[in-house]
Amino acid sequence: MDIRNLPEARPQRTWGWSARLVWIVPILAAAVAGWLMIKGIMEKGPTITITFKTAEGLEARKTKVAYKNVDIGQVKTIEVSDDLSKVIVTVELDKSMTPYLVEDTRFWVVRPRVAGGQVSGLMTLFSGSHIGVDIGHSTTPRQDFEGLEVAPLVTGDVPGRQFVLRAETLGSLEVGSPVFFRQEAVGKVIAHEVDQDGQGVTFKIFVDKPYDRYITTNTRFWNASGVDVSLNATGVKVDMQSLVSLLIGGVTFEMPPGAELDQPAAAGQEFRLAATREEAMKHQDLIVERFVMYFPHSLRGLTVGAPVDFRGIIVGEVKSMNVETDESNTVFRFPVEVELYPSRLVAMMKHASPDFLESDQQRLRTRWDQVVANGFRAQLGVGSLLTGQLYVALDFFPGAAPAKMDWAHDPPAIPTVPGLTEEIQKLVVHLSKALRTFPFEGIGTDFRTALQALTKTLEKGDRFIEQFQDDVTPEIKQTLDDLRHTLKVAERTLEDGSPTQVELQNTLRELGRTAESLRLLSDYLERHPEALLRGKKEGAQ
């Protein structure tokens, strides 16, 4: 058989249903896996990095990120930075947090903490530390954050406003110190730092709503830490806000008396933080005139800041005290520079002249010359006998020696007169001299002689009294006994029911009837005068 005649075999492709079903399962599995992968990618939240100084309390894949105690993410990894100065924490957050990852969003580790008289984070003792979040208000997105080392005292969801205070020193204030308004805590000190020029300290405070509306452009702030004890010309004054401020310090604000809530302060406005309430409430004078005064005697008891008084009105204060000598350096003088605030005097005037606050220097000098010519002088007065503090009194002294303003001096010099203390010292010296020349020895001799004479006189008086008692007293006693007997007899005679009194009453009755008859006769004769000649007619009355 020729193999070339054999039939050629041809492959035939078959498409059975069983073979097609085998491929459906892996295709569906791949589709589901792909869908799950896409879904996972679509639902995956943002991943951010937060740097902290230390990873104390943080654990990868365990530490949660919480906002208002709701878990919103988890720490994935913790790494040390390349320069070993900090740790970098990678956090995976929920997708819903994507819009809130902005420039001013803040993160911090919540741990137990005691600051500013407050305790926070105690629950982390049992649940472990977690990362807290404060949502910012910026619109700039951000993925890398620098974490706060301590929790912020005020978060962005607390209503209120921030303000800036500037002071010379930190005092006893610290972050978390309370802010008081009429002794009620209404805010906190949230930050402080030394100024760049080193001349002061800047504080940031947060005042809760609605108390922030009481902060106007005229509001005054002062440090209310501890007990404020002031010693000045008015005596000793002790001021304390509250027990909390005594322990941890605080800031207090108020409006000056009479101020209105018509100019609310803007958020972030700067204010001066005074050391005391008295300093904060001082009138902010716009017109200031500077003078110097040379007092001839000691300045002991006078201090910088002492008041300048004009008949009970504080019109200025002492700014400095110095020592000057003449050219030979043998005569010392003590210039006291003061600042006068004429607007305070004008504010007390019921009908102030519009030109009292004179701006023309020549007219101002003329008025000063006139008042000085009328006896206007400066004098040191004693503000408190207890403390011995002095103040400067301005007043008119009609008997003062003639003097003039020294306009050549810078600042101009106001003439002075000796104070009351100096006058008392002069009087004491004068009395001392007078007492030295007083004839005490002669007066003592005369007084002794007078005493001897008086003693003799008294002895004579005693003898006279004894003689009087022996000779005269019995006769006086007998006379008094006779007088007492006479009075008793008269009393018995006039007592009710006595014969004498009965007879006297009968006699008085007879006299009464006689007087009545005479009255009738007189009336009848007045009506019938002819009866004196003809007699009384029968039946006539």
Side-chain angles (χ1 to χ4, degrees):
M1 185 177 183
D2 191 358
I3 60 174
R4 290 178 294 184
N5 298 324
L6 291 176
E8 184 181 357
R10 297 180 179 179
Q12 184 176 2
R13 192 172 184 179
T14 61
W15 297 91
W17 284 104
S18 58
R20 297 176 182 175
L21 291 175
V22 169
W23 289 101
I24 291 176
V25 175
I27 292 172
L28 290 176
V32 171
W35 179 79
L36 291 176
M37 184 174 62
I38 294 173
K39 181 181 179 184
I41 293 173
M42 293 181 66
E43 293 183 350
K44 184 180 180 180
T47 300
I48 62 173
T49 60
I50 309 172
T51 58
F52 294 103
K53 288 185 178 180
T54 175
E56 179 185 358
L58 302 179
E59 294 185 58
R61 300 189 179 282
K62 286 187 177 179
T63 301
K64 302 292 184 182
V65 180
Y67 177 71
K68 294 184 180 294
N69 292 329
V70 177
D71 293 342
I72 58 172
Q74 187 178 45
V75 174
K76 292 299 181 185
T77 61
I78 301 176
E79 300 174 347
V80 181
S81 64
D82 294 338
D83 59 357
L84 305 180
S85 62
K86 54 190 175 183
V87 296
I88 302 175
V89 180
T90 303
V91 176
E92 184 176 310
L93 299 174
D94 293 344
K95 184 179 179 181
S96 59
M97 292 299 297
T98 301
Y100 307 111
L101 298 175
V102 292
E103 188 72 22
D104 54 349
T105 296
R106 300 180 293 178
F107 296 88
W108 66 93
V109 180
V110 180
R111 305 186 183 98
R113 184 170 181 267
V114 179
Q118 296 182 347
V119 180
S120 61
L122 286 180
M123 292 301 297
T124 58
L125 292 173
F126 306 98
S127 61
S129 300
H130 65 270
I131 296 178
V133 183
D134 178 34
I135 304 300
H137 301 283
S138 175
T139 57
T140 303
R142 185 178 180 182
Q143 296 296 321
D144 301 319
F145 297 88
E146 185 171 354
L148 304 176
E149 295 305 316
V150 296
L153 295 175
V154 180
T155 55
D157 57 346
V158 177
R161 290 186 294 168
Q162 292 186 19
F163 300 94
V164 178
L165 305 180
R166 295 191 181 278
E168 296 181 356
T169 61
L170 178 63
S172 59
L173 298 177
E174 62 176 36
V175 174
S177 296
V179 176
F180 296 97
F181 177 64
R182 302 197 179 281
Q183 297 189 339
E184 183 172 355
V186 298
K188 298 175 183 176
V189 176
I190 58 176
H192 61 75
E193 63 178 1
V194 179
D195 295 342
Q196 293 293 331
D197 57 1
Q199 299 298 315
V201 179
T202 299
F203 298 87
K204 285 186 179 180
I205 65 170
F206 184 86
V207 179
D208 301 331
K209 196 173 183 179
Y211 302 101
D212 59 336
R213 68 189 179 94
Y214 297 115
I215 298 180
T216 68
T217 54
N218 285 327
T219 299
R220 312 291 172 83
F221 291 83
W222 69 90
N223 192 330
S225 304
V227 180
D228 178 20
V229 181
S230 59
L231 178 65
N232 51 36
T234 60
V236 180
K237 184 178 181 181
V238 180
D239 190 13
M240 185 180 72
Q241 283 298 313
S242 66
L243 184 59
V244 176
S245 65
L246 178 64
L247 297 176
I248 64 175
V251 174
T252 296
F253 69 87
E254 279 186 16
M255 291 175 293
E260 298 180 355
L261 295 172
D262 55 350
Q263 296 180 340
Q269 181 166 337
E270 291 186 4
F271 294 89
R272 186 176 71 93
L273 179 62
T276 62
R277 184 181 188 279
E278 182 180 5
E279 180 183 342
M281 290 297 175
K282 279 186 177 178
H283 190 275
Q284 297 180 354
D285 301 282
L286 301 178
I287 302 176
V288 179
E289 298 177 358
R290 204 171 183 91
F291 295 92
V292 67
M293 304 166 181
Y294 288 91
F295 293 99
H297 298 285
S298 172
L299 302 180
R300 179 180 296 173
L302 186 67
T303 59
V304 174
V308 178
D309 176 286
F310 176 67
R311 297 185 177 180
I313 302 173
I314 305 300
V315 295
E317 64 180 22
V318 175
K319 302 307 292 184
S320 67
M321 297 183 293
N322 302 293
V323 179
E324 292 180 358
T325 60
D326 62 354
E327 296 179 354
S328 62
N329 294 327
T330 56
V331 177
F332 292 86
R333 300 198 306 171
F334 304 93
V336 177
E337 290 193 11
V338 302
E339 284 186 351
L340 299 184
Y341 314 118
S343 58
R344 297 187 183 182
L345 192 60
V346 174
M348 300 290 291
M349 293 181 177
K350 192 172 182 180
H351 302 290
S353 174
D355 60 347
F356 191 87
L357 298 176
E358 186 61 64
S359 58
D360 184 89
Q361 291 300 314
Q362 186 58 42
R363 297 178 64 179
L364 183 65
R365 288 190 177 191
T366 302
R367 187 166 61 198
W368 269 102
D369 291 337
Q370 291 175 351
V371 295
V372 169
N374 292 333
F376 190 80
R377 302 286 188 276
Q379 184 188 53
L380 289 180
V382 180
S384 172
L385 295 176
L386 178 63
T387 63
Q389 296 293 301
L390 300 180
Y391 67 98
V392 177
L394 297 176
D395 208 334
F396 289 90
F397 298 88
K404 294 181 179 180
M405 288 286 295
D406 185 1
W407 296 108
H409 196 282
D410 186 20
I414 298 177
T416 62
V417 294
L420 181 60
T421 304
E422 287 77 19
E423 293 293 339
I424 293 175
Q425 289 177 352
K426 287 183 179 178
L427 179 61
V428 171
V429 172
H430 178 72
L431 290 175
S432 177
K433 291 181 180 177
L435 289 175
R436 288 198 195 101
T437 59
F438 197 76
F440 287 105
E441 294 181 358
I443 293 177
T445 302
D446 295 342
F447 186 68
R448 200 161 40 244
T449 304
L451 286 178
Q452 292 174 355
L454 179 61
T455 302
K456 292 180 180 178
T457 303
L458 291 176
E459 289 176 355
K460 291 181 180 178
D462 292 340
R463 289 195 296 272
F464 174 74
I465 292 173
E466 291 176 355
Q467 183 179 1
F468 181 81
Q469 290 177 347
D470 295 338
D471 300 342
V472 181
T473 302
E475 294 181 2
I476 294 176
K477 184 177 179 182
Q478 182 62 39
T479 303
L480 292 176
D481 292 340
D482 294 343
L483 178 60
R484 188 179 299 109
H485 177 73
T486 303
L487 291 175
K488 288 182 179 179
V489 172
E491 184 179 3
R492 286 196 299 270
T493 302
L494 296 176
E495 66 183 357
D496 295 340
S498 63
T500 303
Q501 189 177 24
V502 172
E503 291 177 359
L504 180 59
Q505 292 177 353
N506 293 333
T507 301
L508 292 175
R509 292 192 188 95
E510 287 296 331
L511 288 175
R513 286 194 290 270
T514 303
E516 180 65 17
S517 300
L518 289 174
R519 186 183 65 81
L520 295 175
L521 176 60
S522 175
D523 293 340
Y524 180 80
L525 290 177
E526 185 177 0
R527 296 193 303 267
H528 306 283
E530 70 277 5
L532 293 173
L533 301 176
R534 298 175 181 178
K536 183 179 178 181
K537 297 179 179 179
E538 292 186 6
Q541 295 182 350

